[in-house]
Amino acid sequence: MSLFPDLAETLPDGVRLWRRRLAPGAQMALLDDVARTLEAAPPYRPQMRTGAYVINRMSNCGSLGWISDTRGYRYEPLHPETGKAWPPIPVELGRIGADCTREAGFADYEPDACLINIYEASGKLNLHRDYDEADFRWPVVSFSLGADAEFLLGGFKRADPTHRLVLHSGDILVFGGPSRLRYHGVRKIFPGTSPVDHSVLPEGGRINLTLRRAR
Ligand code: MD3
Ligand code: FE
């Protein structure tokens, strides 16, 4: 039996999904914003505590950015390689995030961080929890751009069963409330399925933006 029977219709409490909330034109406009952001804060491949490198390249915008190095995970105000402040969260991204969180029942959402995950066609993200933020009462908002991704949504222990969900370009997810600390990950990218073609997207790949309240 599945942990979440009929998840396509019934997402667990605290999860809201808007399929293709962003039309292709709006996806392109956000990708233009991402391209400008990555010029100011170039993508890099963080190390983990073990010394191994994270599979996806990453960057951030907002007053704080999520980073990882051999000392561990944390939020920092400066890019670890350029030493410069992260660029601001693009206005339209913040506006859409505020709309979606309001619709999901969270008033006055003011994200101070946005992680940019850049997936090559072979990219993935191992099962994890977003655990480095100060107050888990604030939700995380995810924007999918580019190729489709097989997303796994789990429970509260790593070994709990997971449910599979395919995320498409333009989909927006809000994770909050009782689902804020669920395990989740990206099992695979479906290369070449992007409905939009933008120079900032890796060949066959995907970009995910996650708005967060870090402090
Ligand atoms: C469920 N990114 O950046 S976004 C991440 O598609 C991350 O790149 C994935 O997980 C991606 O940390 C998934 C969807 C997401 C984000 C945060 C969550 C799902 C979540 C927090 C709690 C539960
Ligand atoms: Fe995550």
Side-chain angles (χ1 to χ4, degrees):
M1 201 179 70
S2 167
L3 180 60
F4 314 122
D6 245 344
L7 187 65
E9 279 72 46
T10 326
L11 290 160
D13 275 357
V15 183
R16 286 286 305 271
L17 167 63
W18 293 268
R19 289 229 174 258
R20 307 211 194 262
R21 169 108 183 194
L22 304 170
Q27 296 171 34
M28 289 298 281
L30 270 191
L31 288 165
D32 286 345
D33 286 337
V34 171
R36 274 188 291 273
T37 298
L38 295 180
E39 280 166 28
Y44 70 102
R45 205 179 297 275
Q47 271 180 296
M48 291 177 290
R49 206 186 267 288
T50 59
Y53 283 86
V54 171
I55 296 159
N56 305 316
R57 287 178 303 138
M58 292 182 174
S59 189
N60 291 275
C61 50
S63 56
L64 292 168
W66 184 89
I67 70 146
S68 173
D69 60 21
T70 52
R71 289 153 53 207
Y73 307 141
R74 63 199 175 275
Y75 283 91
E76 291 279 3
L78 306 179
H79 190 297
E81 292 186 353
T82 67
K84 294 200 294 186
W86 303 106
I89 294 173
V91 172
E92 186 62 6
L93 181 63
R95 200 188 59 71
I96 301 164
D99 288 348
C100 291
T101 48
R102 195 182 316 108
E103 289 173 36
F106 298 89
D108 307 316
Y109 185 60
E110 283 177 32
D112 54 10
C114 177
L115 176 62
I116 303 169
N117 266 306
I118 304 166
Y119 293 80
E120 301 291 331
S122 58
K124 63 174 185 145
L125 182 63
N126 290 330
L127 218 54
H128 67 279
R129 291 182 293 177
D130 290 26
Y131 213 86
D132 304 309
E133 300 75 29
D135 186 346
F136 300 131
R137 286 175 299 186
W138 292 115
V140 174
V141 188
S142 150
F143 297 74
S144 292
L145 297 164
D148 294 346
E150 184 175 326
F151 176 69
L152 297 179
L153 182 58
F156 301 100
K157 291 181 302 208
R158 185 180 294 278
D160 285 347
T162 57
H163 197 97
R164 173 185 178 279
L165 204 59
V166 176
L167 297 180
H168 307 281
S169 196
D171 289 356
I172 300 180
L173 277 158
V174 170
F175 281 91
S179 284
R180 177 62 180 73
L181 293 176
R182 282 185 189 276
Y183 277 89
H184 59 278
V186 174
R187 203 174 79 82
K188 66 166 295 194
I189 303 298
F190 297 96
T193 54
S194 179
V196 291
D197 186 13
H198 193 292
S199 59
V200 79
L201 286 170
E203 180 71 40
R206 168 179 188 260
I207 290 181
N208 179 262
L209 310 173
T210 42
L211 291 174
R212 296 118 187 279
R213 179 86 209 175
R215 287 198 182 141

